[in-house]
Amino acid sequence: MQTLPWSWYTDPDVLRREQERIFRSAWQYVGHGGMVAEDGDQFAAEAGDVPVLVVRDGEAVGAFLNVCRHRGSQLVEGSGNGKSIQCPYHAWTYGLDGRLRAAPRADREAGFDADGLSLVELRLEQWGSLLFVNPDVDASPLLETLGPVTELVPLDGLEFRVRDDYELGANWKIACENYLECYHCPVAHKGFSAAFEVSPDSYRLEPTGEHVLSQFAPSKEDGEGQFHFVWPNLRINVYPGPGNVSVGPMLPAGPEWSRGYLDYFFATDAEETWIEELMAFDRQVGAEDRALVERVQRGVRSALIEHGRLLPESEQLVARFQELVRAAL
Ligand code: FES
Ligand SMILES: [Fe+2]
């Protein structure tokens, strides 16, 4: 079984097609409810290359394209709070409901019509306190996409702790594919393989939903780790022990560059030392994976080989991911 053509991991035209055909119609995690807890809270995020603005307006949390209707400036950077959203370029000012409320000198322009100049609304839906945005207004509901994940992963009683940001010198698909197999675990993750059963007879790979590819790793002590991938680019990790979830996307930042983050949530009664140990463990695995995916990028870039060879059993989830990419493009 062949991999995707390796040129797809360096070609800017392929990335352009991926942005249009994958990311513009997918549900994408953008943050959590704590980021918009108060009226007027707002933060910038990304859904693929679509700039997103998430805003709390009273009881409602909504998402807009983070782009000014005047000459296209990005509106909000980072996060903030306010009664309105003001563009830093010429001070067009929008309400928290997205309507254009004021534009300096507009009264001197005949026929200026603020009504057609509201911010463009995007779909926003929640799973527990996790916020997802989809640029496609006709998308099917988020919970349909998440399928079995909402039953497998309990979010109740968890509290946000920290966001880890990262950048990788690798195409986003290489990062996803690396996440989707544990064939490399015995070789490249000694710590992980000491704590979890990684042999093919114990470690389970399961497409648990149309858009969900899951992995279950029995712990050598008690319980099991769950590692879910939600198409096109979301990781959801649950370790055994006290309540914990980490969730975050792998976003393309260029044909050979990706970036992302992981938001960590823990049960309020989880012990501090346990949390710190788990995070150190997870960051160690992350550092090992970074080295792996950057090596792959350097290899596939060489252009003398057209594609690689997949193992249909041990890399079945990678194969499924590549099928989804192929079908989308
Ligand atoms: S681009 Fe936003 S006010 Fe001019
Ligand atoms: Fe790994």
Side-chain angles (χ1 to χ4, degrees), residues 68 70-73 87 89-92:
C68 181
H70 176 216
R71 298 240 309 280
S73 170
C87 179
Y89 200 176
H90 312 91
W92 282 28

Side-chain angles (χ1 to χ4, degrees), residues 77-101:
E77 275 180 357
S79 61
N81 179 281
K83 292 191 166 39
S84 60
I85 300 150
Q86 189 174 69
C87 179
Y89 200 176
H90 312 91
W92 282 28
T93 303
Y94 303 86
L96 299 176
D97 59 359
R99 294 171 67 118
L100 180 63
R101 284 216 298 238

